[in-house]
Structures are given as structure tokens and as C-alpha cells.
Amino acid sequence: MSFFNKVKAGVSEAGNKAKTVVEINRLKLQNNGKQNDIDQQYQVMGKLLFEAVTQGAGPLPSEQIEANINRILELKAEIETNLQQIAELSDVKHCKACGGNVAIEARFCPACGSTFEVAKEPVSDVTPSSISLDKKE
């Protein structure tokens, strides 16, 4: 009877791992789509700048590209959230210095040597409204 229990536990564990892999791949696919949206926002801003310069209008007023900047910031925050979820699911953490993946229990990044905080602190989200586009002199 214990043999069947072991087989049942093994199948259950394999099923859970498969669910985790599917979820990680779904998050990675979302990140690719979000990165494509970011690239598109950059293209729109570049086109606006090009048209302004070729027409002699000078630098773009921040109001003209503010919506693009806000959208980029939102997408980057969503990508970061997805990366954190991926790290939690795969028992790895992301090195902010070099971008490498490191085992969750590591205190140092093996690629670049940067240290990780021992205690997890809540990450503050950057919202588009918290960023000012006006230059302060």
C-alpha cells in the first residue's frame, strides 16, 4: 500500500510542478507583450520628437508625451511585479545589479558579487502620478 502512496505523491508533485511551469511561462509571455508595448510607446515619442524638430518647433512640451511616459512607467511596474511572481514561483531571486537569477537563499550574486538584503522589505511601487515631468531648477 505504501508503494501506491509514493506513486500518488510523485504524480501529485509532478502535476504541481507542471502548473508552476505553465504559470511562469504565462507571466513571461505577458512580459514580452508588455515590453512590446513599451517599445511602441518609445516609437511614438520618437516620431513626435522627429516631427517637432524637422518642423522647427524645438523641444517637445512635456504635456505632449506625458501620456506615453505614464504608460511606460505603468508597464514597467507590471513587468517588475511579474518578475517578482516568477521569482517566487521558481525559488530564485533577481539580481538588480546584473539582472541574473540567483538561488533564493543566496546572500551574494555569483555573477557580479552584489549583496542581497537578508530581510524582505515591502517594495514601494512607483506610480505615474508620483513622477513630475517638470524641470525644477
Side-chain angles (χ1 to χ4, degrees):
M1 192 73 161
S2 71
F3 171 75
F4 291 115
N5 288 337
K6 288 181 182 180
V7 170
K8 182 179 175 184
V11 169
S12 176
E13 184 179 336
N16 289 337
K17 287 189 181 207
K19 287 179 186 177
T20 300
V21 169
V22 168
E23 181 65 14
I24 288 171
N25 286 333
R26 185 187 65 80
L27 291 168
K28 286 181 179 180
L29 186 61
Q30 280 183 359
N31 281 356
N32 286 337
K34 292 176 190 309
Q35 187 60 51
N36 288 339
D37 289 348
I38 288 172
D39 293 341
Q40 185 178 13
Q41 294 298 318
Y42 285 144
Q43 286 179 340
V44 169
M45 290 187 329
K47 184 177 179 181
L48 290 172
L49 177 62
F50 174 78
E51 290 172 355
V53 170
T54 56
Q55 295 173 0
L60 287 173
S62 62
E63 300 84 35
Q64 207 168 2
I65 59 172
E66 186 173 0
N68 302 95
I69 292 172
N70 289 339
R71 181 68 180 142
I72 289 170
L73 292 173
E74 289 171 7
L75 290 167
K76 285 187 174 193
E78 291 170 11
I79 287 173
E80 185 62 32
T81 301
N82 285 351
L83 289 174
Q84 289 173 354
Q85 288 178 357
I86 289 170
E88 289 171 6
L89 289 170
S90 60
D91 293 332
V92 296
K93 55 187 167 186
H94 188 71
C95 177
K96 299 222 183 261
C98 71
N101 290 328
V102 183
I104 195 83
E105 63 274 348
R107 296 180 67 195
F108 298 94
C109 176
C112 69
S114 67
T115 60
F116 298 109
E117 295 180 21
V118 175
K120 269 191 167 179
E121 295 182 18
V123 178
S124 63
D125 289 336
V126 176
T127 60
S129 62
S130 70
I131 297 177
S132 173
L133 299 175
D134 298 327
K135 292 183 179 178
K136 295 180 181 174
E137 298 175 27

